[in-house]
């Protein structure tokens, strides 16, 4: 539904018609009006969308405060002396446009998780990239990397990060799957993260309509 927010708009046709003329101040003002009207219409349309039912994350995971409005971890928990944090993104944010549309425009049925397992006193955390589905979770890669709080933001491109996960022997792959399973990384996370992403997408789109409209509508100082 979010992707269809722009569907059916005639703003593009009106824009092309006006663009053929010399953009005098009057024409430019008309273009601004067309965009602002379209932004307002879609803002109101998106604001009426029904949010998904509220879903709580599986215990003992807790939602990171402010995660809906920030980039970074969504869930966090402690496991013995370890701290585990989970970030999530849609498959559509990784694959080319249209590559994940088999289940429909708004299907959020395939998620990618970034899982960080850190220990006190260690400068690096164990990082897993996982695929999460309604009935399964799979590991795509595992490596050691600087803790988020310790990282300067630069990535050491020459550091060895281990073999490709699928190149590891089966016993080792099974061991890593058991490792994340004992820490609660499983398909039970899916319902919450699916609903969380829908709400985040909704908020981001509403914010985008509002911010773009504010920028276009802002008057130059006299």
């Amino acid at each position: 539904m979010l992707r269809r927010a722009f569907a059916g708009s005639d703003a593009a046709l009106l824009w092309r018609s006006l663009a053929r003329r010399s953009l005098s101040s009057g024409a430019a003002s008309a273009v601004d009006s067309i965009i602002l009207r379209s932004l307002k219409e879609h803002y109101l349309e998106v604001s009426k969308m029904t949010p998904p039912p509220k879903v709580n994350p599986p215990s003992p995971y807790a939602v990171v405060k402010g995660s809906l409005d920030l980039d970074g971890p969504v869930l966090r928990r402690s496991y013995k002396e370890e701290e585990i944090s989970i970030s999530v993104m849609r498959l559509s944010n990784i694959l080319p446009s249209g590559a994940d549309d088999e289940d429909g425009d708004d299907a959020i049925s395939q998620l990618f998780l970034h899982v960080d397992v850190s220990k006190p006193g260690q400068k690096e955390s164990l990082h897993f990239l996982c695929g999460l589905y309604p009935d399964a979770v799979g590991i795509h890669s595992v490596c050691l990397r600087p803790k988020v709080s310790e990282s300067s933001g630069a990535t050491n491109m020459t550091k060895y990060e281990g073999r490709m996960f699928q190149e590891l022997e089966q016993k080792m792959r099974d061991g890593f799957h058991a490792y994340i399973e004992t820490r609660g990384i499983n398909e039970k996370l899916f319902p919450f993260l699916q609903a969380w992403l829908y709400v985040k997408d909704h908020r981001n789109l509403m914010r985008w309509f509002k911010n773009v409209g504010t920028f276009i509508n802002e008057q130059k100082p006299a």
Side-chain angles (χ1 to χ4, degrees):
M1 186 178 293
L2 294 179
R3 292 186 187 179
R4 293 195 292 269
F6 287 105
S9 173
D10 59 353
L13 292 175
L14 292 171
W15 165 264
R16 285 195 292 269
S17 176
L18 285 168
R20 295 190 185 102
R21 302 182 234 165
S22 175
L23 285 180
S24 64
S25 60
S29 178
V31 170
D32 289 356
S33 297
I34 291 170
I35 296 174
L36 290 170
R37 183 168 63 249
S38 182
L39 287 169
K40 181 178 180 180
E41 289 172 355
H42 291 306
Y43 180 93
L44 293 174
E45 180 183 347
V46 172
S47 69
K48 296 175 183 177
M49 292 180 182
T50 304
K54 183 176 176 58
V55 181
N56 293 320
S59 178
Y61 278 100
V63 182
V64 176
K65 186 177 180 180
S67 59
L68 276 173
D69 298 309
L70 301 171
D71 294 325
V74 177
L75 297 174
R76 186 169 286 142
R77 66 163 291 188
S78 295
Y79 178 81
K80 298 181 179 180
E81 79 280 9
E82 300 171 353
E83 182 178 274
I84 301 167
S85 62
I86 298 174
S87 303
V88 62
M89 66 178 64
R90 294 177 61 161
L91 184 63
S92 60
N93 292 341
I94 298 177
L95 294 182
S97 177
D100 68 327
D101 287 345
E102 294 181 1
D103 297 323
D105 286 344
D106 294 314
I108 307 180
S109 58
Q110 302 176 83
L111 308 177
F112 270 103
L113 303 185
H114 290 271
V115 180
D116 274 294
V117 181
S118 62
K119 294 183 178 182
Q122 296 285 340
K123 293 184 177 180
E124 296 180 310
S125 62
L126 193 59
H127 178 76
F128 294 85
L129 176 62
C130 303
L132 179 64
Y133 307 88
D135 58 354
V137 61
I139 299 174
H140 291 274
S141 66
V142 55
C143 65
L144 284 169
R145 70 178 192 181
K147 289 182 180 179
V148 174
S149 58
E150 309 253 352
S151 175
S152 62
T155 301
N156 184 353
M157 301 299 292
T158 63
K159 182 177 178 180
Y160 179 68
E161 294 189 345
R163 303 181 68 183
M164 297 290 293
F165 187 76
Q166 291 304 318
E167 294 176 353
L168 300 176
E169 63 172 347
Q170 186 64 49
K171 183 181 293 186
M172 189 176 296
R173 297 202 303 267
D174 291 343
F176 277 122
H177 278 287
Y179 182 90
I180 64 171
E181 175 69 27
T182 58
R183 287 156 177 77
I185 312 298
N186 54 47
E187 64 275 9
K188 293 180 181 178
L189 293 168
F190 187 87
F192 169 79
L193 291 174
Q194 182 187 48
W196 183 91
L197 272 176
Y198 183 94
V199 174
K200 186 175 180 66
D201 283 353
H202 183 272
R203 285 196 182 191
N204 285 340
L205 185 56
M206 295 278 287
R207 187 181 297 114
W208 186 87
F209 286 142
K210 182 177 180 180
N211 291 344
V212 172
T214 299
F215 179 88
I216 292 175
N217 198 42
E218 185 176 2
Q219 299 297 318
K220 294 182 180 180

PDB file of all heavy atoms in Angstrom, residues 77-84 116-126 144-145 147-150 179 183:
ATOM      1  N   ARG A  77      18.960  -7.507  24.176  1.00  0.00           N
ATOM      2  CA  ARG A  77      18.800  -8.355  25.356  1.00  0.00           C
ATOM      3  C   ARG A  77      20.175  -8.715  25.907  1.00  0.00           C
ATOM      4  O   ARG A  77      21.197  -8.539  25.241  1.00  0.00           O
ATOM      5  CB  ARG A  77      18.061  -9.646  25.015  1.00  0.00           C
ATOM      6  CG  ARG A  77      18.836 -10.578  24.078  1.00  0.00           C
ATOM      7  CD  ARG A  77      18.307 -12.000  24.079  1.00  0.00           C
ATOM      8  NE  ARG A  77      18.561 -12.660  25.350  1.00  0.00           N
ATOM      9  CZ  ARG A  77      18.337 -13.950  25.569  1.00  0.00           C
ATOM     10  NH1 ARG A  77      17.845 -14.715  24.599  1.00  0.00           N
ATOM     11  NH2 ARG A  77      18.590 -14.491  26.737  1.00  0.00           N
ATOM     12  N   SER A  78      20.171  -9.232  27.133  1.00  0.00           N
ATOM     13  CA  SER A  78      21.388  -9.764  27.731  1.00  0.00           C
ATOM     14  C   SER A  78      21.292 -11.278  27.769  1.00  0.00           C
ATOM     15  O   SER A  78      20.205 -11.842  27.982  1.00  0.00           O
ATOM     16  CB  SER A  78      21.575  -9.217  29.158  1.00  0.00           C
ATOM     17  OG  SER A  78      21.780  -7.813  29.129  1.00  0.00           O
ATOM     18  N   TYR A  79      22.416 -11.929  27.541  1.00  0.00           N
ATOM     19  CA  TYR A  79      22.480 -13.391  27.632  1.00  0.00           C
ATOM     20  C   TYR A  79      23.768 -13.728  28.378  1.00  0.00           C
ATOM     21  O   TYR A  79      24.858 -13.563  27.849  1.00  0.00           O
ATOM     22  CB  TYR A  79      22.480 -14.019  26.240  1.00  0.00           C
ATOM     23  CG  TYR A  79      22.604 -15.527  26.248  1.00  0.00           C
ATOM     24  CD1 TYR A  79      21.490 -16.329  26.491  1.00  0.00           C
ATOM     25  CD2 TYR A  79      23.823 -16.145  26.026  1.00  0.00           C
ATOM     26  CE1 TYR A  79      21.590 -17.709  26.504  1.00  0.00           C
ATOM     27  CE2 TYR A  79      23.933 -17.524  26.039  1.00  0.00           C
ATOM     28  CZ  TYR A  79      22.817 -18.303  26.277  1.00  0.00           C
ATOM     29  OH  TYR A  79      22.932 -19.684  26.291  1.00  0.00           O
ATOM     30  N   LYS A  80      23.610 -14.146  29.640  1.00  0.00           N
ATOM     31  CA  LYS A  80      24.758 -14.338  30.527  1.00  0.00           C
ATOM     32  C   LYS A  80      25.538 -13.027  30.566  1.00  0.00           C
ATOM     33  O   LYS A  80      25.001 -11.994  30.891  1.00  0.00           O
ATOM     34  CB  LYS A  80      25.585 -15.532  30.065  1.00  0.00           C
ATOM     35  CG  LYS A  80      24.809 -16.848  30.101  1.00  0.00           C
ATOM     36  CD  LYS A  80      25.646 -18.023  29.651  1.00  0.00           C
ATOM     37  CE  LYS A  80      24.842 -19.306  29.716  1.00  0.00           C
ATOM     38  NZ  LYS A  80      25.626 -20.481  29.273  1.00  0.00           N
ATOM     39  N   GLU A  81      26.835 -13.031  30.177  1.00  0.00           N
ATOM     40  CA  GLU A  81      27.603 -11.781  30.206  1.00  0.00           C
ATOM     41  C   GLU A  81      27.557 -11.046  28.884  1.00  0.00           C
ATOM     42  O   GLU A  81      28.159  -9.974  28.743  1.00  0.00           O
ATOM     43  CB  GLU A  81      29.071 -12.069  30.591  1.00  0.00           C
ATOM     44  CG  GLU A  81      29.934 -12.614  29.472  1.00  0.00           C
ATOM     45  CD  GLU A  81      29.761 -14.115  29.210  1.00  0.00           C
ATOM     46  OE1 GLU A  81      28.837 -14.717  29.795  1.00  0.00           O
ATOM     47  OE2 GLU A  81      30.568 -14.667  28.440  1.00  0.00           O
ATOM     48  N   GLU A  82      26.837 -11.576  27.915  1.00  0.00           N
ATOM     49  CA  GLU A  82      26.802 -10.992  26.581  1.00  0.00           C
ATOM     50  C   GLU A  82      25.669  -9.978  26.430  1.00  0.00           C
ATOM     51  O   GLU A  82      24.653 -10.053  27.125  1.00  0.00           O
ATOM     52  CB  GLU A  82      26.601 -12.093  25.529  1.00  0.00           C
ATOM     53  CG  GLU A  82      27.695 -13.141  25.508  1.00  0.00           C
ATOM     54  CD  GLU A  82      27.331 -14.317  24.614  1.00  0.00           C
ATOM     55  OE1 GLU A  82      26.176 -14.375  24.119  1.00  0.00           O
ATOM     56  OE2 GLU A  82      28.199 -15.180  24.420  1.00  0.00           O
ATOM     57  N   GLU A  83      25.866  -9.048  25.490  1.00  0.00           N
ATOM     58  CA  GLU A  83      24.783  -8.156  25.063  1.00  0.00           C
ATOM     59  C   GLU A  83      24.517  -8.436  23.594  1.00  0.00           C
ATOM     60  O   GLU A  83      25.441  -8.436  22.778  1.00  0.00           O
ATOM     61  CB  GLU A  83      25.144  -6.690  25.263  1.00  0.00           C
ATOM     62  CG  GLU A  83      24.003  -5.756  24.869  1.00  0.00           C
ATOM     63  CD  GLU A  83      24.315  -4.294  25.100  1.00  0.00           C
ATOM     64  OE1 GLU A  83      24.100  -3.809  26.225  1.00  0.00           O
ATOM     65  OE2 GLU A  83      24.780  -3.647  24.141  1.00  0.00           O
ATOM     66  N   ILE A  84      23.264  -8.671  23.270  1.00  0.00           N
ATOM     67  CA  ILE A  84      22.881  -9.008  21.899  1.00  0.00           C
ATOM     68  C   ILE A  84      21.956  -7.929  21.376  1.00  0.00           C
ATOM     69  O   ILE A  84      20.967  -7.569  22.022  1.00  0.00           O
ATOM     70  CB  ILE A  84      22.172 -10.380  21.853  1.00  0.00           C
ATOM     71  CG1 ILE A  84      23.098 -11.457  22.415  1.00  0.00           C
ATOM     72  CG2 ILE A  84      21.750 -10.728  20.424  1.00  0.00           C
ATOM     73  CD1 ILE A  84      22.403 -12.762  22.699  1.00  0.00           C
ATOM     74  N   ASP A 116      24.468  -8.558  16.496  1.00  0.00           N
ATOM     75  CA  ASP A 116      25.768  -8.332  17.130  1.00  0.00           C
ATOM     76  C   ASP A 116      25.774  -8.949  18.523  1.00  0.00           C
ATOM     77  O   ASP A 116      24.886  -8.668  19.344  1.00  0.00           O
ATOM     78  CB  ASP A 116      26.058  -6.834  17.236  1.00  0.00           C
ATOM     79  CG  ASP A 116      26.694  -6.281  15.987  1.00  0.00           C
ATOM     80  OD1 ASP A 116      27.842  -6.673  15.687  1.00  0.00           O
ATOM     81  OD2 ASP A 116      26.048  -5.476  15.297  1.00  0.00           O
ATOM     82  N   VAL A 117      26.773  -9.787  18.772  1.00  0.00           N
ATOM     83  CA  VAL A 117      26.963 -10.396  20.086  1.00  0.00           C
ATOM     84  C   VAL A 117      28.266  -9.831  20.645  1.00  0.00           C
ATOM     85  O   VAL A 117      29.340 -10.046  20.076  1.00  0.00           O
ATOM     86  CB  VAL A 117      27.049 -11.930  19.984  1.00  0.00           C
ATOM     87  CG1 VAL A 117      27.224 -12.541  21.377  1.00  0.00           C
ATOM     88  CG2 VAL A 117      25.806 -12.500  19.301  1.00  0.00           C
ATOM     89  N   SER A 118      28.170  -9.093  21.738  1.00  0.00           N
ATOM     90  CA  SER A 118      29.365  -8.466  22.315  1.00  0.00           C
ATOM     91  C   SER A 118      29.566  -8.924  23.752  1.00  0.00           C
ATOM     92  O   SER A 118      28.620  -9.330  24.433  1.00  0.00           O
ATOM     93  CB  SER A 118      29.247  -6.940  22.261  1.00  0.00           C
ATOM     94  OG  SER A 118      28.138  -6.497  23.031  1.00  0.00           O
ATOM     95  N   LYS A 119      30.825  -8.864  24.188  1.00  0.00           N
ATOM     96  CA  LYS A 119      31.186  -9.249  25.549  1.00  0.00           C
ATOM     97  C   LYS A 119      31.980  -8.112  26.193  1.00  0.00           C
ATOM     98  O   LYS A 119      32.726  -7.404  25.502  1.00  0.00           O
ATOM     99  CB  LYS A 119      32.039 -10.524  25.538  1.00  0.00           C
ATOM    100  CG  LYS A 119      31.310 -11.761  25.044  1.00  0.00           C
ATOM    101  CD  LYS A 119      32.202 -12.996  25.140  1.00  0.00           C
ATOM    102  CE  LYS A 119      31.454 -14.247  24.696  1.00  0.00           C
ATOM    103  NZ  LYS A 119      32.291 -15.473  24.828  1.00  0.00           N
ATOM    104  N   PRO A 120      31.826  -7.921  27.504  1.00  0.00           N
ATOM    105  CA  PRO A 120      32.567  -6.847  28.183  1.00  0.00           C
ATOM    106  C   PRO A 120      34.070  -7.092  28.083  1.00  0.00           C
ATOM    107  O   PRO A 120      34.550  -8.228  28.184  1.00  0.00           O
ATOM    108  CB  PRO A 120      32.068  -6.942  29.632  1.00  0.00           C
ATOM    109  CG  PRO A 120      31.531  -8.330  29.774  1.00  0.00           C
ATOM    110  CD  PRO A 120      30.973  -8.685  28.442  1.00  0.00           C
ATOM    111  N   GLY A 121      34.805  -6.009  27.832  1.00  0.00           N
ATOM    112  CA  GLY A 121      36.253  -6.116  27.748  1.00  0.00           C
ATOM    113  C   GLY A 121      36.766  -6.500  26.377  1.00  0.00           C
ATOM    114  O   GLY A 121      37.975  -6.446  26.134  1.00  0.00           O
ATOM    115  N   GLN A 122      35.880  -6.899  25.476  1.00  0.00           N
ATOM    116  CA  GLN A 122      36.287  -7.264  24.124  1.00  0.00           C
ATOM    117  C   GLN A 122      36.096  -6.067  23.191  1.00  0.00           C
ATOM    118  O   GLN A 122      35.063  -5.396  23.233  1.00  0.00           O
ATOM    119  CB  GLN A 122      35.450  -8.437  23.619  1.00  0.00           C
ATOM    120  CG  GLN A 122      35.631  -9.727  24.408  1.00  0.00           C
ATOM    121  CD  GLN A 122      36.952 -10.403  24.097  1.00  0.00           C
ATOM    122  OE1 GLN A 122      37.575 -10.143  23.074  1.00  0.00           O
ATOM    123  NE2 GLN A 122      37.389 -11.273  25.005  1.00  0.00           N
ATOM    124  N   LYS A 123      37.052  -5.805  22.323  1.00  0.00           N
ATOM    125  CA  LYS A 123      36.966  -4.676  21.406  1.00  0.00           C
ATOM    126  C   LYS A 123      36.124  -5.002  20.179  1.00  0.00           C
ATOM    127  O   LYS A 123      35.694  -4.100  19.464  1.00  0.00           O
ATOM    128  CB  LYS A 123      38.359  -4.242  20.964  1.00  0.00           C
ATOM    129  CG  LYS A 123      39.198  -3.642  22.089  1.00  0.00           C
ATOM    130  CD  LYS A 123      40.537  -3.145  21.562  1.00  0.00           C
ATOM    131  CE  LYS A 123      41.340  -2.493  22.672  1.00  0.00           C
ATOM    132  NZ  LYS A 123      42.662  -2.002  22.186  1.00  0.00           N
ATOM    133  N   GLU A 124      35.909  -6.286  19.923  1.00  0.00           N
ATOM    134  CA  GLU A 124      35.146  -6.697  18.760  1.00  0.00           C
ATOM    135  C   GLU A 124      33.898  -7.465  19.175  1.00  0.00           C
ATOM    136  O   GLU A 124      33.816  -8.007  20.282  1.00  0.00           O
ATOM    137  CB  GLU A 124      35.999  -7.573  17.830  1.00  0.00           C
ATOM    138  CG  GLU A 124      37.182  -6.843  17.228  1.00  0.00           C
ATOM    139  CD  GLU A 124      37.990  -7.731  16.311  1.00  0.00           C
ATOM    140  OE1 GLU A 124      38.327  -8.844  16.744  1.00  0.00           O
ATOM    141  OE2 GLU A 124      38.283  -7.322  15.171  1.00  0.00           O
ATOM    142  N   SER A 125      32.915  -7.466  18.286  1.00  0.00           N
ATOM    143  CA  SER A 125      31.708  -8.250  18.511  1.00  0.00           C
ATOM    144  C   SER A 125      31.579  -9.283  17.398  1.00  0.00           C
ATOM    145  O   SER A 125      32.138  -9.115  16.305  1.00  0.00           O
ATOM    146  CB  SER A 125      30.466  -7.348  18.544  1.00  0.00           C
ATOM    147  OG  SER A 125      30.301  -6.683  17.303  1.00  0.00           O
ATOM    148  N   LEU A 126      30.856 -10.337  17.682  1.00  0.00           N
ATOM    149  CA  LEU A 126      30.591 -11.362  16.678  1.00  0.00           C
ATOM    150  C   LEU A 126      29.346 -10.943  15.923  1.00  0.00           C
ATOM    151  O   LEU A 126      28.282 -10.765  16.516  1.00  0.00           O
ATOM    152  CB  LEU A 126      30.392 -12.720  17.346  1.00  0.00           C
ATOM    153  CG  LEU A 126      30.410 -13.960  16.434  1.00  0.00           C
ATOM    154  CD1 LEU A 126      31.742 -14.066  15.692  1.00  0.00           C
ATOM    155  CD2 LEU A 126      30.162 -15.215  17.257  1.00  0.00           C
ATOM    156  N   LEU A 144      33.957 -11.195  12.801  1.00  0.00           N
ATOM    157  CA  LEU A 144      34.271 -10.324  13.927  1.00  0.00           C
ATOM    158  C   LEU A 144      34.452  -8.911  13.392  1.00  0.00           C
ATOM    159  O   LEU A 144      35.077  -8.714  12.348  1.00  0.00           O
ATOM    160  CB  LEU A 144      35.551 -10.779  14.623  1.00  0.00           C
ATOM    161  CG  LEU A 144      35.448 -12.011  15.521  1.00  0.00           C
ATOM    162  CD1 LEU A 144      36.845 -12.482  15.905  1.00  0.00           C
ATOM    163  CD2 LEU A 144      34.631 -11.712  16.774  1.00  0.00           C
ATOM    164  N   ARG A 145      33.895  -7.931  14.111  1.00  0.00           N
ATOM    165  CA  ARG A 145      34.072  -6.546  13.688  1.00  0.00           C
ATOM    166  C   ARG A 145      34.080  -5.656  14.921  1.00  0.00           C
ATOM    167  O   ARG A 145      33.585  -6.058  15.998  1.00  0.00           O
ATOM    168  CB  ARG A 145      32.962  -6.122  12.737  1.00  0.00           C
ATOM    169  CG  ARG A 145      31.601  -5.964  13.363  1.00  0.00           C
ATOM    170  CD  ARG A 145      30.594  -5.490  12.322  1.00  0.00           C
ATOM    171  NE  ARG A 145      29.358  -5.064  12.940  1.00  0.00           N
ATOM    172  CZ  ARG A 145      28.303  -4.616  12.256  1.00  0.00           C
ATOM    173  NH1 ARG A 145      28.357  -4.561  10.945  1.00  0.00           N
ATOM    174  NH2 ARG A 145      27.213  -4.222  12.884  1.00  0.00           N
ATOM    175  N   LYS A 147      33.208  -3.188  17.851  1.00  0.00           N
ATOM    176  CA  LYS A 147      31.938  -2.820  18.467  1.00  0.00           C
ATOM    177  C   LYS A 147      31.492  -1.468  17.944  1.00  0.00           C
ATOM    178  O   LYS A 147      32.314  -0.617  17.596  1.00  0.00           O
ATOM    179  CB  LYS A 147      32.081  -2.749  19.992  1.00  0.00           C
ATOM    180  CG  LYS A 147      32.252  -4.091  20.676  1.00  0.00           C
ATOM    181  CD  LYS A 147      32.339  -3.896  22.180  1.00  0.00           C
ATOM    182  CE  LYS A 147      32.523  -5.213  22.908  1.00  0.00           C
ATOM    183  NZ  LYS A 147      32.635  -5.013  24.373  1.00  0.00           N
ATOM    184  N   VAL A 148      30.194  -1.260  17.916  1.00  0.00           N
ATOM    185  CA  VAL A 148      29.653   0.006  17.415  1.00  0.00           C
ATOM    186  C   VAL A 148      30.207   1.174  18.201  1.00  0.00           C
ATOM    187  O   VAL A 148      30.600   2.200  17.640  1.00  0.00           O
ATOM    188  CB  VAL A 148      28.106  -0.010  17.499  1.00  0.00           C
ATOM    189  CG1 VAL A 148      27.559   1.357  17.109  1.00  0.00           C
ATOM    190  CG2 VAL A 148      27.540  -1.092  16.606  1.00  0.00           C
ATOM    191  N   SER A 149      30.293   1.041  19.518  1.00  0.00           N
ATOM    192  CA  SER A 149      30.787   2.134  20.365  1.00  0.00           C
ATOM    193  C   SER A 149      32.283   2.351  20.190  1.00  0.00           C
ATOM    194  O   SER A 149      32.812   3.414  20.494  1.00  0.00           O
ATOM    195  CB  SER A 149      30.491   1.833  21.834  1.00  0.00           C
ATOM    196  OG  SER A 149      31.089   0.613  22.223  1.00  0.00           O
ATOM    197  N   GLU A 150      32.994   1.325  19.696  1.00  0.00           N
ATOM    198  CA  GLU A 150      34.446   1.424  19.557  1.00  0.00           C
ATOM    199  C   GLU A 150      34.850   1.839  18.155  1.00  0.00           C
ATOM    200  O   GLU A 150      35.967   2.257  17.911  1.00  0.00           O
ATOM    201  CB  GLU A 150      35.080   0.050  19.856  1.00  0.00           C
ATOM    202  CG  GLU A 150      34.618  -0.563  21.160  1.00  0.00           C
ATOM    203  CD  GLU A 150      35.701  -0.508  22.208  1.00  0.00           C
ATOM    204  OE1 GLU A 150      36.819  -0.145  21.862  1.00  0.00           O
ATOM    205  OE2 GLU A 150      35.407  -0.825  23.365  1.00  0.00           O
ATOM    206  N   TYR A 179      24.156 -21.774  17.986  1.00  0.00           N
ATOM    207  CA  TYR A 179      24.654 -20.643  18.772  1.00  0.00           C
ATOM    208  C   TYR A 179      23.637 -19.509  18.786  1.00  0.00           C
ATOM    209  O   TYR A 179      23.312 -18.950  19.854  1.00  0.00           O
ATOM    210  CB  TYR A 179      25.980 -20.186  18.173  1.00  0.00           C
ATOM    211  CG  TYR A 179      26.661 -19.053  18.902  1.00  0.00           C
ATOM    212  CD1 TYR A 179      27.572 -19.304  19.924  1.00  0.00           C
ATOM    213  CD2 TYR A 179      26.415 -17.722  18.547  1.00  0.00           C
ATOM    214  CE1 TYR A 179      28.219 -18.254  20.582  1.00  0.00           C
ATOM    215  CE2 TYR A 179      27.055 -16.683  19.198  1.00  0.00           C
ATOM    216  CZ  TYR A 179      27.954 -16.946  20.213  1.00  0.00           C
ATOM    217  OH  TYR A 179      28.590 -15.917  20.864  1.00  0.00           O
ATOM    218  N   ARG A 183      20.381 -18.064  21.728  1.00  0.00           N
ATOM    219  CA  ARG A 183      20.291 -16.646  22.101  1.00  0.00           C
ATOM    220  C   ARG A 183      18.998 -16.001  21.614  1.00  0.00           C
ATOM    221  O   ARG A 183      18.841 -14.786  21.654  1.00  0.00           O
ATOM    222  CB  ARG A 183      21.524 -15.895  21.563  1.00  0.00           C
ATOM    223  CG  ARG A 183      22.776 -16.233  22.355  1.00  0.00           C
ATOM    224  CD  ARG A 183      24.048 -16.021  21.573  1.00  0.00           C
ATOM    225  NE  ARG A 183      25.223 -16.299  22.398  1.00  0.00           N
ATOM    226  CZ  ARG A 183      25.654 -17.531  22.687  1.00  0.00           C
ATOM    227  NH1 ARG A 183      25.022 -18.590  22.201  1.00  0.00           N
ATOM    228  NH2 ARG A 183      26.718 -17.705  23.455  1.00  0.00           N
TER     229      ARG A 183
END
